[in-house]
Every structure is written in structure tokens, then in C-alpha cells.
Amino acid sequence: MGREASITRIIGPENYARLQHFKCLIVGAGGIGSELLKDCILMGFGEIHIVDLDTIDLSNLNRQFLFRQKDIKQPKSTTAVKAVQHFSNSKLIPYQGNVMDTKQFPLHWFSQFDIFLNGLDNLAARRYVNKISQFLKKPLIESGTSGFDGYIQPILPGITECFDCTKKETPKTFPVCTIRSTPSQPIHCIVWAKNFLFNQLFTSDQSPTAGDSDDNDWGTDDKEEISRIKQETNELHDLQQVVHRQDKAHITDILKKLFIKDIEKLLQLDNLWKSRAKPVPLSESLIESTRYDHDSTDLSAVWGLEKQINQFIRVTGKLMDRISQEQYNIEFDKDDQDTLIFVATAANIRSHIFGIPIKTVFDIKQIAGNIIPAIATTNAIVAGLSTLTSLRLLNLLPYDKASSGLDVNMAFTARASNLSKDRYLSNPKLAPPNCNCAVCSKVARGVIKITIQGLEKLTLSQFIEMLKKQYGYPSETSLIDTSDQRLLVDFDFEDLLNRTLSQAKLRDGSVILFSDEEGDEREMYKQPLELYLDVVEDNAAALEVELPSLQIALFKPQKQDEKEEQEMTKEKSPANEENKNGIVILDEEENRGEKDNTATKRPRSPDQTLQDTKKAKTSKSSEYAEDIIELD
């Protein structure tokens, strides 16, 4: 009764009764997500759904207080719900899955919620939930933390800027030659040890030429260097057989190959060392005199070269013992001490050879595991701000009603925003949508409700004619399946016109882009139209196809020279100079797979605009007899 009385005093008894009928979706059950779950329960949301793909790791336990040692390897979402259900009056529904899986989470599933709360740690999922929010016109609160810093960004579709209105940096990659031939930073040696060496020796699906495709960003046109890199990969495949045979007597051969022979071959490429310091190979006597001893537990100390070699030999032997038990396929895991020490020692020995400062194992764990520092108190503050702000977005604060969505505030920590040095939190007003945003401004967006029968009967030709008639598009148009950037129909590609939508591989969750390729006499074009296919039950639909009611604006495309001039003007403008220390957008805690761990700044810049459908390449698809066009 105490907490109910407190929230009732804040929002009033009528609004509290309303709140008990609201449904919220929490995406992510990690550092921020588990705090969001607790706060939403304490506030009194009637129904709370929480989605997370991940399982619990040992490294989560220092800040994700709903989990315990016994929960390691268990699903985060279901474990979090079990931990809080004893004090919850809300209906709690957990899901283990990828929120971007349209089969498990179709659009109509998202439509049941009144608000979305993000506690995510990767860019792709954030962008996806942002787009779902735009399709359904549902409010979203985006959030993130990094160490002591964090932010929240309320998003009201059509009223405020969306997550994609500001440019986001993508994870940094390095040319092959930098990683394999000319490292100059510790990160280069760590990437070499983790992504190349470890995979070549301990992962069974690595062929002799894996990773050495001609499509690689080699970072050089030197054919001799590229040939050497490919040969080095083939030779490492031979060493993989030593590992598979569990031949510990030849561990020193691996060391000699990596840190003597390969380095000597590099030194023969004189062009590489005209402006660089030459690497110094290890001596055979040093390798031969080193023998492994006990495990090293001090992972926060900087080890000397002899100890690095010692621990490399020891841990390689341990991995050899494991490889047959793990079906000759050991995956790198930052919480697996054997794989971590192998990567750390290999990277540090290579750093020593190239005159690069070596790192502690603890430092390398953060870099190789893409760990962004996460602090429990920051997560709690950001989650609290998110849940309090949700009351404003849902119009549940009678004393602080917003006259428009732009009256709602963001929140940033002082260092994340650079707005104020005198207080921990800054709360600027939200901005309107960026007119150059390809997600919320450059396209019209809607949801098509269609039955299975409609998918199987309606041809692409009929479907396009329906769109032209409904929205007034001219005769020359294009249709793209945006899920794989596959061109279905264009003015000079009509091979699929007689295919039905299902034969064209369109299904529930497909997002298509319909574009005007002709324009009118004034060179004005219809706004591109992005449509989500929501497949409904036959008995739930009045028609086989139900198009949304939309107003499609006209626009005049900006010429390339005008764009370039505008960009140059922006770069030189004093306002842009002031914005160089603008608000920082931060990602939350750990990144896995395709994840972004780069803090980026918030000055506006146009996002990537719609791809030109005329720049296409033809590729064969096993699903079709004819050629399919894929956008570059």
C-alpha cells in the first residue's frame, strides 16, 4: 500500500487507475533493462513484457542485481521475471528471442503496447525498434550508459526527432594489411590474435583461404604483400592440424612460425619499412628455453616477455586438451580464461615485436570483449529517468501537462552532453524531426494489412497498380524489398510483374519501398512510400488487402552539386564549429556480434538518403530461375 499511495499522490487516483491498464514493452534485460523492469513494477504498470536474446554471463553479476551465480547461462528475460515476481502486482511476460525476428514478434504484436522502453546494447536493434515506433506511432524512450555517463531520449513519432535523426558512427574496422602486416596500435594486435589467429587454430570451419577473399579491404595494392598474407593463412592451416592432433611437443613450432618465420618474411618486403620502424623477431633460444609452469592469476599486471611466452605455451596446451571435447570448435569468450589468455599473450608478443606498448590481460579483456564500462548506479539513474519520463509521454502528470511533444525533456549527464559543468544532469527540450532523416522525414510510412489469400493471389503488377491508384503515383515507379535490398520491379526490370507477392518472397514482416521514378513537369516527385506487410487472419480482415490512409507529399530532389555546396558551407559555419563538442550519444554496457561501442556526438548531419534504385547489380538467386536485381 505504501508504494501505491506514493504514486497516487504524484499522478492522482484516476491516472493511477489508468496506469494499471497500460502495457509497456521493455527491450533488453541487462544493466538498464533489469532496472527498468523493477521501476515499472514499482510504478504500477498493469502489464509488462520484456524481451532479451541473451543469457547471463559471469561478468554481468557486478551490476545486474536480479541475477546470481546459479543463474549463469540462463536466459536473462525469464530469470529477471522470476527474481521480481514476488513483489510484483503487474502481469509479467518474458520472451527469449531477437526483437528483430518478425516471425516471433510481428508488427501486430508490437501494436498491443502503449509505450516502448529500450535498454539495448547494439545499434541494429535500436534502429529497428525506432522504426517500429515510427510505423505504429507509438512513443519510445531510448537510453544508454557508459561508465558514469548516460542519457535518455523520448521519441514521439512525427513530433520529435527519432533515433536516426542524428548520425551514428559504425563500429571501426581495419584494413587487412594493417592487421596482418603493419600493426601500430595494441588494438591491431588484439584483432589479429582474436579474429585471425584464434579462429584459424581453434575453429573448425576455417578453410585455408578463409578471410582472404579478393573482396577484402586489403588496405594496399602491393601484390607481393597480398600474396604473402594468403600464403601465411595456408601455412597456419597446417598448424591447425598440430592443434587437432593435440601435439603439445610442437607448441614451440607455432611460436616460431608466428613470431620468427612470419616476421622474417615481412622484413623482406622493403616497401613496408621505408617510413616505419622494422619489427624484431623473437630469438629461437628464448622460445626454446621457456617452459610453461602454473596458471597466472594476476591478470591486472603487465607481464614481461618471458612470462607472455610461458603463458602462451601453457594455455595452448590447455586448449589442445579441450578441442576434441568441444568438437574441434572452440569459440572465443572473454569470460573463458583460457581463450582470453591465449589472445592476450599472442597479442602482447606481437606488440613487443612491433614496438607497441603491451597491455594487461584485464585491459585486453575489455577491448577484445567490446566492453563499455558499466556502473550500476548510472544504470539505475537512467532507468529511473526513463520510467518517470514515461508518465509525461502517457499524459499521467496532471500538474505538468505538455502542450506539445516538444515540451518534453531529454536528460543527459554533464559529460555526455557538454551542456553544463555545474550539475550532473542536463535536460534540454526535444527537437523536431530532422528534415534529412531517411527514417522519419524522407519517406511516408504505413502498414498494409493483408491476408494469406491476398499474398497468394495478388500479383506484383496488380499490387503496384493499387498503390498508384490509391496514392496518385505516376506510371514509372520502383518497388524494393528493403529486408535484403532486392529490387522487385523497376521501369527497366519487369521480369517479376506476374509473380504473386508470396512467389516474390514477400511475407509477414516484409518492408517494401515504393518510389516515384518519373516526377512531373516541374521536376517534383512523390515522396517514397515505405510499407510494412502485416499478415492477418482471413476472418479478421474485411478485405484481402487493406491499404493505409496516407497523404503523400511532393518534393524536389536536391542536385548533387547543391548537396556538396551545402555540406561545405555546413563544415565551415561557426555554428558547426560550436557543435564539435555537442551532446554525446552513448551505447549501454557490452556489445556482442554486430554491435556498436563508439560514443558519437549529436550535431545534426543528414543521414544516408534513400539508395538510388538505378544503381544496381545483377546476381543469381537460387530461389528464382530469372535474374534478381540487388541494390549496391
Side-chain angles (χ1 to χ4, degrees):
M1 287 297 294
R3 75 186 190 217
E4 291 176 7
S6 297
I7 193 69
T8 300
R9 282 200 300 270
I10 295 172
I11 67 177
E14 290 184 7
N15 282 340
Y16 182 66
R18 288 176 58 206
L19 181 61
Q20 290 178 300
H21 289 90
F22 279 134
K23 288 183 180 182
C24 74
L25 172 64
I26 299 172
V27 188
I32 293 178
S34 54
E35 292 289 335
L36 286 171
L37 176 62
K38 178 196 70 177
D39 292 347
C40 288
I41 289 171
L42 294 176
M43 282 208 322
F45 273 93
E47 197 167 310
I48 303 167
H49 297 233
I50 184 163
V51 177
D52 198 299
L53 175 64
D54 212 354
T55 56
I56 299 160
D57 287 335
L58 175 65
S59 60
N60 299 146
L61 302 185
N62 70 328
R63 64 193 177 281
Q64 297 175 22
F65 299 137
L66 301 183
F67 309 137
R68 299 291 181 268
Q69 185 94 19
K70 63 181 176 60
D71 300 322
I72 290 173
K73 302 302 180 186
Q74 297 301 309
K76 283 187 176 181
S77 55
T78 54
T79 307
V81 164
K82 288 177 184 176
V84 298
Q85 59 190 3
H86 68 282
F87 66 81
S88 172
N89 296 323
S90 306
K91 182 179 179 181
L92 305 177
I93 303 177
Y95 306 84
Q96 185 184 19
N98 187 338
V99 75
M100 298 185 286
D101 183 346
T102 57
K103 290 183 179 179
Q104 187 177 4
F105 305 114
L107 189 71
H108 54 261
W109 177 82
F110 285 97
S111 65
Q112 67 182 299
F113 301 108
D114 297 287
I115 191 167
F116 308 136
L117 300 168
N118 269 357
L120 286 161
D121 61 358
N122 72 91
L123 196 58
R126 282 173 156 150
R127 283 181 162 153
Y128 183 80
V129 178
N130 176 58
K131 189 169 279 192
I132 291 292
S133 166
Q134 297 295 317
F135 272 118
L136 295 175
K137 309 298 182 189
K138 300 274 187 179
L140 163 66
I141 300 181
E142 172 59 50
S143 60
T145 65
S146 177
F148 291 102
D149 290 315
Y151 79 102
I152 70 161
Q153 179 189 1
I155 296 168
L156 292 166
I159 300 171
T160 69
E161 63 180 1
C162 76
F163 181 73
D164 280 295
C165 277
T166 51
K167 190 174 182 180
K168 307 296 187 296
E169 289 185 13
T170 54
K172 186 163 184 179
T173 59
F174 303 97
V176 174
C177 76
T178 301
I179 300 303
R180 304 273 288 275
S181 301
T182 55
S184 59
Q185 301 173 29
I187 181 66
H188 298 156
C189 297
I190 295 167
V191 170
W192 171 84
K194 174 192 169 187
N195 294 352
F196 170 63
L197 178 62
F198 185 88
N199 286 342
Q200 285 292 331
L201 293 183
F202 300 105
T203 305
S204 59
D205 60 356
Q206 295 294 317
S207 66
T209 57
D212 286 340
S213 163
D214 289 334
D215 293 332
N216 276 336
D217 174 16
W218 294 102
T220 181
D221 295 324
D222 189 330
K223 293 182 179 179
E224 188 178 358
E225 183 181 355
I226 294 172
S227 176
R228 186 206 62 80
I229 290 172
K230 290 182 176 181
Q231 181 185 357
E232 179 185 288
T233 306
N234 289 329
E235 292 169 355
L236 265 182
H237 184 67
D238 295 335
L239 291 183
Q240 185 191 66
Q241 305 312 308
V242 173
V243 173
H244 285 189
R245 291 195 304 269
Q246 300 174 302
D247 188 355
K248 295 182 183 179
H250 286 85
I251 292 176
T252 53
D253 290 342
I254 297 175
L255 278 161
K256 292 174 185 177
K257 161 75 173 73
L258 297 173
F259 304 120
I260 297 178
K261 294 177 184 177
D262 285 352
I263 303 303
E264 288 173 347
K265 288 178 182 177
L266 262 179
L267 289 169
Q268 294 173 11
L269 302 177
D270 294 332
N271 289 337
L272 295 180
W273 316 115
K274 289 180 178 178
S275 58
R276 297 183 181 95
K278 293 182 178 181
V280 180
L282 295 184
S283 67
E284 283 199 33
S285 59
L286 179 61
I287 294 174
E288 293 289 354
S289 63
T290 303
R291 292 292 179 267
Y292 67 83
D293 51 23
H294 57 80
D295 294 4
S296 182
T297 56
D298 189 2
L299 305 185
S300 59
V302 177
W303 299 341
L305 178 61
E306 189 170 337
K307 188 167 186 177
Q308 301 283 356
I309 298 171
N310 176 301
Q311 292 300 310
F312 179 93
I313 295 172
R314 179 195 65 79
V315 80
T316 303
K318 290 186 71 173
L319 290 169
M320 282 182 175
D321 291 337
R322 289 171 48 180
I323 197 162
S324 60
Q325 301 168 4
E326 299 184 33
Q327 286 75 50
Y328 301 93
N329 191 46
I330 302 176
E331 292 186 6
F332 172 81
D333 185 339
K334 69 184 187 312
D335 295 318
D336 180 335
Q337 191 156 307
D338 292 341
T339 64
L340 174 63
I341 290 179
F342 179 90
V343 166
T345 53
N348 279 332
I349 296 169
R350 187 170 173 85
S351 291
H352 172 84
I353 287 168
F354 282 87
I356 300 168
I358 62 176
K359 296 278 189 180
T360 68
V361 176
F362 183 78
D363 289 337
I364 289 174
K365 178 177 180 176
Q366 289 189 299
I367 298 169
N370 293 327
I371 298 174
I372 297 176
I375 296 174
T377 48
T378 312
N379 290 338
I381 291 167
V382 166
L385 290 169
S386 292
T387 46
L388 288 172
T389 302
S390 71
L391 297 177
R392 292 199 73 190
L393 295 188
L394 295 170
N395 291 318
L396 295 176
L397 294 179
Y399 60 87
D400 192 19
K401 290 189 175 180
S403 58
S404 77
L406 298 180
D407 289 335
V408 179
N409 298 87
M410 311 172 82
F412 288 85
T413 59
R415 211 169 59 173
S417 65
N418 291 326
L419 292 179
S420 172
K421 296 181 181 178
D422 301 324
R423 55 183 180 176
Y424 178 66
L425 287 173
S426 299
N427 57 337
K429 297 287 186 184
L430 294 178
N434 180 354
C435 62
N436 289 307
C437 178
V439 173
C440 67
S441 297
K442 289 246 176 185
V443 300
R445 183 173 281 108
V447 179
I448 294 178
K449 295 191 178 297
I450 187 168
T451 64
I452 293 289
Q453 191 176 13
L455 279 177
E456 293 174 348
K457 286 175 56 179
L458 197 66
T459 65
L460 284 175
S461 177
Q462 293 169 331
F463 181 61
I464 288 171
E465 290 305 315
M466 288 177 64
L467 295 178
K468 289 178 180 178
K469 183 178 179 181
Q470 176 83 1
Y471 304 115
Y473 278 80
S475 58
E476 289 189 2
T477 56
S478 65
L479 187 68
I480 300 166
D481 180 358
T482 64
S483 61
D484 53 5
Q485 294 302 307
R486 185 166 48 94
L487 185 62
L488 301 173
V489 178
D490 197 359
F491 63 90
D492 59 355
F493 179 70
E494 300 178 344
D495 297 5
L496 306 179
L497 276 175
N498 293 326
R499 298 289 181 94
T500 65
L501 300 187
S502 61
Q503 288 172 341
K505 306 303 177 186
L506 296 178
R507 60 188 186 283
D508 188 26
S510 292
V511 178
I512 56 175
L513 185 68
F514 187 61
S515 302
D516 177 2
E517 299 292 335
E518 182 178 353
D520 61 17
E521 65 278 359
R522 297 173 298 160
E523 295 186 347
M524 299 292 286
Y525 287 75
K526 283 277 189 181
Q527 195 176 21
L529 176 60
E530 192 172 60
L531 297 166
Y532 189 108
L533 296 187
D534 186 18
V535 177
V536 297
E537 297 291 336
D538 290 3
N539 56 10
L543 302 170
E544 289 180 351
V545 181
E546 185 180 332
L547 298 179
S549 178
L550 298 170
Q551 295 294 323
I552 311 298
L554 290 169
F555 76 101
K556 188 167 186 175
Q558 195 173 22
K559 295 179 180 178
Q560 187 62 34
D561 55 350
E562 291 176 353
K563 285 184 183 179
E564 291 173 358
E565 184 178 348
Q566 190 179 72
E567 287 299 313
M568 289 177 65
T569 304
K570 278 182 66 178
E571 289 175 5
K572 294 178 181 178
S573 69
N576 196 50
E577 290 298 314
E578 292 172 5
N579 274 337
K580 281 184 179 177
N581 293 317
I583 298 169
V584 178
I585 298 292
L586 299 156
D587 282 337
E588 191 252 346
E589 55 163 324
E590 299 172 16
N591 289 341
R592 297 179 182 276
E594 181 187 321
K595 303 196 176 180
D596 181 20
N597 64 337
T598 309
T600 61
K601 298 188 178 180
R602 273 186 69 81
R604 285 190 183 277
S605 71
D607 209 331
Q608 183 180 358
T609 54
L610 298 174
Q611 299 188 47
D612 184 359
T613 60
K614 296 177 184 177
K615 291 180 180 178
K617 63 182 180 183
T618 303
S619 68
K620 294 287 186 181
S621 170
S622 60
E623 297 173 323
Y624 293 126
E626 290 87 1
D627 288 345
I628 302 301
I629 303 297
E630 292 183 357
L631 295 184
D632 285 328

